[in-house]
Amino acid sequence: MSTKIDTDEPLHGRVLEHMHTAVLLLDSELRLRYINSAGEMMFAISAQRFVGQVIHHTLFEKEVATALEQVLESGAPFTERELVLDLGYRRRVTVDLTALPLNDGGGEPELLVEMKQVDRQLRITREEGLLAQSSATRALVRGLAHEIKNPLGGLRGAAQLLERELHNEELKEYTHIIISEADRLQALMNNMLGPSTLPHKRLLNIHEAVERVRQVVGAELPSGVKLSRDYDPSIPDLYADLDQLIQSVMNLARNAAQAVGNEGAIKLRTRTMRQYTIGHTLHKLVAKVDVIDDGPGIAPEMRESLFLPMVTGRVEGTGLGLPIAQSLINANGGLIEWESRPGQTIFTVLLPIEAAPTETETKP
Ligand SMILES: Nc1ncnc2c1ncn2[C@@H]1O[C@H](COP(=O)(O)OP(=O)(O)OP(=O)(O)O)[C@@H](O)[C@H]1O
Ligand SMILES: [Mg+2]
């Protein structure tokens, strides 16, 4: 229950109470006069307890709290877009915040604070971008790789015929080079074409895939790199292609290993999320695999094109690891997301947990 704004028009109160935007009214001493239900929910506080108290320092970090004080002093409104609020207990929300000084009525000024939560929208827009990027490049690459593969086969065959006619070992070296380079290009094209077969899905535990990656990548790591795990063992089985999951998580883990170099820490973490949207589809339950490293982070110039083929920041890289991982996970109904800052990069594989199509009931 919220303390209603003192107005004799109950309609205003009803509208405010049903809004998704959090609304707070502070008096000239910055005491809370009013908070609507969305605000109570966002900050997990009760209006009854807190009305009359000065709490902007409790609710906001120092800079924002100070900015609010300045709005009252200066009379100039304050707006901050995509402000991250740390709500404690690991709860963080991103909001667009507006603070408006109210001076109507000529009495003491008041401060109206509005906060619209934007993280869900930001995430969906970014995901749409990732999915569109991934399908556009797949189409382009498929066309190109197809055009290259045919003449390449002819080239290789002709070199083989030529080799049979040659009796000079020195000259044969040249045909060897043609054949082995054609094979290398062929393998690259196959990689760029991505999975040639449809996924062979079966019910599996996500940890089958993650543990395999841990073992394989763990064996390749230099002794200064620590590979740890943090699993949620209660994740229900999901319907996916095991090899494809292994391949994708492996690509992410190898990137993490390359990012940390000879010293650092990599963590494989599994969790579930309820009521989570991937692309446009809302799923009741989603499995999440995080590959976390403490390396230098994604270079700024790579951020927009990370999932495009041939985009690499490494001398010996082919730039195919991420686009292949993304297309494999997309084929299994999921998505790869990422966030990165120096010292912490997280690549997240999201996979919907749904029953096999032969079953009629979907698991909760
Ligand atoms: N965890 C990470 N930390 C920092 N940079 C990363 C990380 N993961 C990927 N990158 C950057 O993204 C680039 C593209 O990665 P991707 O896996 O697609 O290709 P690659 O690793 O360069 O080559 P390949 O995987 O084909 O051998 C990398 O070269 C690297 O610059
Ligand atoms: Mg890679």
Side-chain angles (χ1 to χ4, degrees), residues 114-257:
E114 284 174 61
M115 277 164 293
K116 188 169 166 25
Q117 199 172 337
V118 292
D119 15 25
R120 199 178 117 84
Q121 197 47 48
L122 284 178
R123 197 176 63 75
I124 290 175
T125 313
R126 202 172 110 154
E127 280 183 8
E128 279 172 354
L130 284 179
L131 285 171
Q133 198 180 57
S134 160
S135 69
T137 39
R138 247 201 321 271
L140 176 72
V141 163
R142 267 181 199 283
L144 195 63
H146 196 258
E147 286 307 303
I148 293 175
K149 274 180 84 167
N150 287 338
L152 196 62
L155 212 66
R156 190 189 191 282
Q160 258 178 330
L161 289 176
L162 187 61
E163 190 172 73
R164 269 187 232 151
E165 301 299 321
L166 292 176
H167 302 294
N168 178 335
E169 285 305 314
E170 256 178 52
L171 289 179
K172 271 193 186 174
E173 252 180 53
Y174 295 125
T175 52
H176 275 158
I177 293 175
I178 299 175
I179 293 169
S180 68
E181 286 298 287
D183 286 346
R184 200 174 62 82
L185 204 52
Q186 180 80 41
L188 183 68
M189 290 299 116
N190 287 341
N191 271 340
M192 288 180 76
L193 282 170
S196 53
T197 50
L198 286 171
H200 293 298
K201 294 189 183 180
R202 65 170 173 85
L203 263 188
L204 55 88
N205 191 289
I206 189 86
H207 298 105
E208 284 180 57
V210 184
E211 266 299 281
R212 180 87 64 82
V213 173
R214 196 180 67 86
Q215 283 157 3
V216 173
V217 175
E220 300 168 355
L221 289 175
S223 58
V225 179
K226 188 170 164 278
L227 176 61
S228 61
R229 53 184 163 172
D230 172 5
Y231 295 165
D232 171 359
S234 69
I235 300 179
D237 287 354
L238 54 87
Y239 192 67
D241 181 316
L242 180 65
D243 289 332
Q244 296 188 344
L245 295 196
I246 293 172
Q247 171 81 65
S248 315
V249 181
M250 186 92 78
N251 290 0
L252 302 181
R254 289 217 164 104
N255 282 350

Side-chain angles (χ1 to χ4, degrees), residues 252-266:
L252 302 181
R254 289 217 164 104
N255 282 350
Q258 282 147 2
V260 299
N262 283 328
E263 241 165 71
I266 301 172

Side-chain angles (χ1 to χ4, degrees), residues 306-364:
L306 209 52
F307 284 93
L308 296 178
M310 317 300 273
V311 169
T312 179
R314 297 187 302 113
V315 180
E316 71 282 26
T318 59
L320 290 178
L322 287 177
I324 288 175
Q326 184 69 278
S327 79
L328 290 173
I329 294 300
N330 293 166
N332 284 274
L335 183 78
I336 300 179
E337 290 184 339
W338 62 276
E339 59 177 83
S340 176
R341 57 181 162 82
Q344 192 183 58
T345 299
I346 309 180
F347 275 85
T348 303
V349 177
L350 297 162
L351 285 162
I353 299 179
E354 269 133 5
T358 44
E359 295 173 38
T360 44
E361 273 286 303
T362 316
K363 284 185 191 172

